[in-house]
Amino acid sequence: MKTIKRIVVGIDFSTYAQRIMEYGAGIAERNMAELIAVNVINKRQIDYIKTVCKDEAPNVFSLSKFINDETARRTHKLDDLIRHCVSTKVSTRPVIMIGVPFEEILNVVDNEHADIVVISSKGRSNFQDYIFGTTSEKIFRHCPVPVLSLNLRT
């Protein structure tokens, strides 16, 4: 069995985020592995804001300021979650990406040479997810390393 040295935990700040982080932290602590907590600012959100605010004056709205503010806000939330859920014995790193969530998580897996991914299998019941698949389903299908997909709805 391969030694686990680096764990990527996908965090979406849903009601399941704390439990997902705790599972990942437990694996990291038992294996003396690094935990990389990843959150992705969805490209769809950025595109929507671009469309809605395209006619705004630059002094009223700046997309780059929004992205910087959103990145800072999410980094702060991720740091708080790590502080609350992860032992100080575990080496951790928050990572905020921008793009298509499953693609960005897989990019982190590749770039960081992760050994395992921990995600929530929580499902949304909207039509778009039914047609195109959820982020967790896409990660599961395309991830080059083992994926621990936790069903925490119960």
Side-chain angles (χ1 to χ4, degrees):
M1 176 181 246
K2 184 178 177 179
T3 303
I4 296 173
K5 296 177 187 170
R6 196 163 289 123
I7 301 164
V8 168
V9 179
I11 297 294
D12 62 359
F13 300 122
S14 69
T15 56
Y16 309 106
Q18 180 175 335
R19 290 174 59 200
I20 293 297
M21 184 69 82
E22 290 168 350
Y23 269 89
I27 296 167
E29 188 169 1
R30 283 188 299 280
N31 290 278
M32 294 182 289
E34 178 183 19
L35 186 146
I36 303 168
V38 180
N39 175 263
V40 180
I41 301 172
N42 197 320
K43 180 184 177 312
R44 285 188 300 187
Q45 182 183 11
I46 302 295
D47 292 344
Y48 175 77
I49 289 170
K50 277 185 199 175
T51 301
V52 169
C53 299
K54 70 178 183 226
D55 297 327
E56 294 293 331
N59 60 337
V60 174
F61 177 79
S62 160
L63 184 61
S64 62
K65 181 178 178 342
F66 168 79
I67 291 170
N68 289 339
D69 290 349
E70 187 65 9
T71 300
R73 183 184 74 79
R74 290 177 184 224
T75 300
H76 179 73
K77 271 181 96 168
L78 211 45
D79 286 340
D80 284 347
L81 191 60
I82 289 169
R83 214 173 3 266
H84 181 74
C85 299
V86 182
S87 166
T88 55
K89 298 174 191 172
V90 176
S91 172
T92 60
R93 193 159 25 110
V95 174
I96 306 294
M97 303 294 287
I98 299 170
V100 178
F102 89 93
E103 291 175 354
E104 294 306 322
I105 291 170
L106 292 176
N107 284 336
V108 172
V109 168
D110 286 339
N111 294 337
E112 298 292 341
H113 307 289
D115 299 300
I116 190 170
V117 176
V118 180
I119 57 173
S120 171
S121 66
K122 78 169 182 72
R124 290 179 302 224
S125 58
N126 69 29
F127 185 71
Q128 189 170 8
D129 284 343
Y130 175 73
I131 296 298
F132 299 112
T134 64
T135 297
S136 59
E137 289 170 341
K138 291 174 186 172
I139 290 170
F140 192 71
R141 283 196 308 263
H142 300 286
C143 193
V145 300
V147 177
L148 176 58
S149 179
L150 301 168
N151 180 351
L152 300 174
R153 286 179 271 180
T154 57

